[in-house]
Each structure stands twice: as structure tokens, then as C-alpha cells.
Amino acid sequence: MSGFAYKNGIWQCEEIPVERIAEAVGTPFYLYSRAELLERYHALDQAFENIPHLVCFALKANGNLALNRILAEAGCGAEVVSGGELFRSLRAGYQPERIVFDGNGKTEVELRYALESGIYAINVDSENELQLLNTIAGEINKIARVGLRVNPDVNPNTHPKIATGLKKSKFGVDLCAALRCYEFARDAEHLEVVGIHAHIGSQIVEVGPFAEAMGKLIELALELQRRNITLQYIDIGGGLGIQYNAEIPPCYAEYIGALRPHWERYPVTIIVEPGRSLVGDVGNLITKVLYVKQTPVKRFVVIDAAMNDLWRPTMYDAYHQILPVRQTNGHFVADVVGGVCESGDFMARDREMATVSEGELLAIQSAGAYSASMSSEYNSRPLIPEVLVTGDTFRLVRRRPTYDEMMALEE
Ligand SMILES: Cc1ncc(COP(=O)(O)O)c(C=O)c1O
């Protein structure tokens, strides 16, 4: 099933016509399907078959508490990269022993918070961080469970801004330095070496790069074993893509299937940290057409959502399908733009799309990941609400702030 579909020409989320929700909450808003979310999580979980595993949802893709509560209740874990995300994950109900803390810029305060929270592991990004963690753990009389993020130097064939495992990337340590780090960690009084981590990039639509990275991690794990360092997990990160346009990403079974032959050489727990593939297609951004404006050279569909609600087109030239909530006849070519004072504020350029007119609703697809979580109040536009649908009911899971609330922390 899919959480979203047309029924009698009207766009629905599960069993509710989107127009009804728009009437109740106003536009724009993000709209999520609980059924779609659970279906995806279970599909991934089941794809592992007999492989011991931990799915840690990357909260950076979508931090909404209600959405995360659903995942936590289903048994999912969390991947966090800041103190705020750790706090959010605990508030959402993820069990600490299912949380991993990644990131290349963890502060002393964040490391201390992670240790005190008793999370599963901290994936450390450098030798300096290992040293700091050892000191902090000593100060509070804890043993830190650590993994090391390595840079496997694998090309994920994705947008350069979301390729994170190339040699020139800021993340992780190279495979040679990794041996030194592991030996330091093995001998450090307050560290327990438990794993290895890589994350090669995002929106990856072939299994090859994952298999290549996994192969390199396993080689390193075997080398560590020869040096009396045994790991409890191999964390291959996130990165599996979704279909935004014409790309055809592998399904979860293909993805895990590509990791399996490598895992068989070192059969410990596999951790995955999916963000986009779990929640990308769980959400739509629902927006209203304010104006259809014709200039001498172009037609513009001006909507009430803008780049501050969905940065991906501006940041990555990303494609998001745009559907009319009420099916129309005919097509035209237009730029779909928001009301922010930037020429880079667009959702689509020169897009052949359904003919729409003022007042009509549009559903911007695949807006469950890196949409609300990346949004900002640029141009003093309040963050927009999030709505969760369960069958034939819907509920506001983050309401629209007032202007006063938007300024509440200022003098
Ligand atoms: C360390 C790490 N893990 C997981 C993810 C999630 O990636 P994706 O949403 O592509 O699955 C990211 C994304 O940047 C990441 O940096």
C-alpha cells in the first residue's frame, strides 16, 4: 500500500481527503501517514531475516516527536548527532540501549550527556574525540562504549553535498589511521571498543557503494581481530535513496542482500541508520496556490509554502513531484515558487505540471525527510504545522506558532 493516493480524483492520505485536513488546519502543512511509516519500518526490519541487527532511525531526517514515538514503539532505535537530537530521541521513547550518537563535532557537554544517558554506543569521529571521551568517562566514572567512524573512500554517485565517504570528506578517519585509533581505544582505561561505523552519503540508488563500504569495514574488522580487538557491531550508516523522479532505488531486501556476503565473513550485529528511505515517502507538503503569474518569458505558480519549508530544491537542485490535490485536465509549464525574497526560492523550475489556478491545493511529494527538520523561519515566516493521519483520523502533531511565539525568546 501507499499512504497517499487519488480516490475519485481527490488526493487522499490513508482514508482522508487532504482537502478536509487543509480546511481544518489551514495551509501550508506537512502531512504524514502512520501506516506508510510502519510498513516501511517493518519491511526493513524483515529484510534482515536471520542477521542480528539494529535499525537506528536518523532523527535528522525527521525529528517530529509523534512520528518518532511510532518508530520507538515499533522497536526501532535512533541515530542522533547532537545533544538536542539525543534529548528528542529520549523524549520520543527510544530505549537508550538502542541509540547511537554520531557526528564529527560533538561537544564536551554532549559527550557527557551521552555517557550519562547510557546509550548503546558513541561513534567517534577522530582520535582527538577518543581522547576527550576517555577523559570525560574517567571524570564521571563510566566506561564509554565506542565505535569509530571510518572513511572508506567510496564514491556513492550522489549529489556532492550529500557524499560523505570520499577521501576528501570531513567525516571519519582513514583506514590506516583507524588502526592507531583502535589500539589507543583498546588500551584506554575508560573506553570499550564495540564497533565500527561508516556513512558514505545520502540518496544512493544502487547497492554497489554500500557493498563496497561494507567490504572495507569487514576487512578492517578482520584486521582488528588479528590484533585482539573484537567488535560487537558493524554500522553501515544510512543513505539508501527513494524515488523522487525517475531513479529506481533498490528495495530493502536488495540492500540488505548486498551486505550479507560481507557480513557472513564477520557475523556480528549490523546497524543501519536510515533516514530518507524510512520517512521520505511518508510525508507530503500541502500548499495552496496564491497566484498564477505570467511574465513575458515565464509562468509562475506562486504558493504559500516556500524554500524555508523545503530547502531541498534550492540546496540540491532536488526534484519533488508536485500533484494537484484535485485532479485537473490539461498541463502547462511553470516555475513553482514561494514568497521568500530570493530568486533561489523555488520548488520546481520549467516544470510540466497539471494546470492549476489560484486557490487550488498542491501536494508536494516525498516531503517526509529533510523537510520539516531543515525548515527555518527565514523572512519571519513561522514554522508550519505537521499533521499525522491514522486511518480515517488526523491530528495536529505540531501546531502553527503565533507571531508572538515565534519571537518568544527575543527581548
Ligand atoms: C551519520 C549519518 N547516518 C545516517 C544518515 C541518514 O542518511 P539517509 O537519510 O540518507 O538515510 C545521515 C545523513 O546525513 C548521516 O550523516
Side-chain angles (χ1 to χ4, degrees):
M1 68 153 280
S2 162
F4 298 88
Y6 281 110
K7 191 167 176 189
N8 302 326
I10 309 286
W11 193 240
Q12 294 215 157
C13 182
E14 298 193 22
E15 287 152 50
I16 306 194
V18 167
E19 288 174 341
R20 236 173 69 202
I21 305 172
E23 253 168 51
V25 304
T27 57
F29 61 94
Y30 306 100
L31 181 60
Y32 306 130
S33 158
R34 182 176 190 274
E36 181 78 32
L37 176 63
L38 281 173
E39 184 178 294
R40 279 168 191 272
Y41 170 67
H42 290 309
L44 175 55
D45 192 41
Q46 282 156 20
F48 282 91
E49 298 178 359
N50 63 335
I51 300 178
H53 62 278
L54 180 57
V55 176
C56 291
F57 171 59
L59 257 79
K60 62 179 77 61
N62 192 319
N64 181 276
L65 282 178
L67 206 95
N68 278 278
R69 246 176 235 128
I70 296 169
L71 287 173
E73 275 166 20
C76 190
E79 182 262 356
V80 301
V81 292
S82 68
E85 280 191 355
L86 176 53
F87 186 83
R88 202 171 256 288
S89 66
L90 293 169
R91 172 79 53 97
Y94 290 104
Q95 293 170 10
E97 58 274 19
R98 289 177 171 270
I99 298 174
V100 292
F101 193 175
D102 297 344
N104 69 315
K106 305 180 200 79
T107 64
E108 204 174 315
V109 171
E110 288 175 324
L111 289 172
R112 197 177 294 266
Y113 178 31
L115 283 175
E116 281 165 350
S117 304
I119 62 172
Y120 182 68
I122 300 174
N123 285 321
V124 168
D125 196 80
S126 66
E127 192 166 354
N128 323 42
E129 191 187 335
L130 272 179
Q131 287 165 1
L132 177 62
L133 186 58
N134 185 43
T135 307
I136 298 171
E139 281 165 12
I140 57 172
N141 211 15
K142 300 249 183 207
I143 300 291
R145 290 169 51 84
V146 293
L148 183 70
R149 176 152 177 182
V150 300
N151 181 340
D153 192 22
V154 169
N155 183 357
N157 296 329
T158 188
H159 191 284
K161 284 186 187 159
I162 46 175
T164 51
L166 288 165
K167 201 172 238 159
K168 62 182 183 189
S169 157
K170 70 170 177 172
F171 298 103
V173 298
D174 64 85
L175 294 168
C176 291
L179 290 173
R180 200 177 60 239
C181 288
Y182 273 108
E183 283 175 345
F184 169 83
R186 179 193 58 197
D187 300 336
E189 206 182 331
H190 304 287
L191 303 181
E192 180 192 3
V193 174
V194 286
I196 191 167
H197 175 228
H199 169 77
I200 57 172
S202 200
Q203 186 53 15
I204 300 167
V205 291
E206 49 192 348
V207 295
F210 293 112
E212 191 185 338
M214 185 75 176
K216 290 187 174 181
L217 296 191
I218 297 292
E219 282 303 323
L220 181 56
L222 291 169
E223 178 57 35
L224 292 172
Q225 199 168 46
R226 288 190 278 277
R227 298 173 187 222
N228 288 328
I229 298 172
T230 308
L231 305 181
Q232 296 171 20
Y233 67 83
I234 310 285
D235 182 344
I236 191 67
L240 189 64
I242 60 172
Q243 181 172 15
Y244 285 105
N245 191 2
E247 65 276 61
I248 307 203
C251 66
Y252 284 134
E254 289 169 293
Y255 169 56
I256 302 303
L259 306 180
R260 181 180 285 278
H262 297 287
W263 167 79
E264 281 166 354
R265 301 174 60 212
Y266 196 91
V268 294
T269 297
I270 295 184
I271 297 181
V272 287
E273 304 170 347
R276 190 187 312 273
S277 73
L278 267 188
V279 297
D281 282 329
V282 163
N284 276 193
L285 169 53
I286 307 299
T287 178
K288 189 168 75 180
V289 176
L290 297 175
Y291 307 101
V292 178
K293 171 172 143 179
Q294 182 72 54
T295 73
V297 288
K298 257 182 191 279
R299 176 187 288 114
F300 292 96
V301 173
V302 185
I303 56 175
D304 62 0
M307 67 193 281
N308 62 302
D309 306 310
L310 180 61
W311 283 100
R312 299 192 67 261
T314 306
M315 262 182 92
Y316 313 121
D317 277 320
Y319 180 100
H320 282 261
Q321 204 185 351
I322 301 177
L323 300 175
V325 163
R326 189 170 278 262
Q327 276 179 323
T328 59
N329 288 324
H331 286 82
F332 61 24
V333 173
D335 280 16
V336 180
V337 299
V340 162
C341 296
E342 303 257 356
S343 297
D345 174 19
F346 65 92
M347 298 289 152
R349 277 187 163 150
D350 297 320
R351 176 75 58 88
E352 168 145 11
M353 59 184 288
T355 306
V356 290
S357 46
E358 294 173 11
E360 281 184 49
L361 297 177
L362 300 177
I364 303 180
Q365 302 299 292
S366 307
Y370 304 107
S371 304
S373 62
M374 288 174 76
S375 61
S376 81
E377 294 169 339
Y378 186 40
N379 278 199
S380 284
R381 296 166 61 97
L383 297 181
I384 64 175
E386 293 173 276
V387 176
L388 178 69
V389 169
T390 306
D392 59 1
T393 61
F394 69 89
R395 129 183 116 84
L396 203 54
V397 289
R398 188 182 72 192
R399 67 176 173 79
R400 198 184 303 278
T402 62
Y403 288 146
D404 274 329
E405 283 169 329
M406 186 168 67
M407 286 165 237
L409 300 179
E410 299 172 43
E411 285 199 347

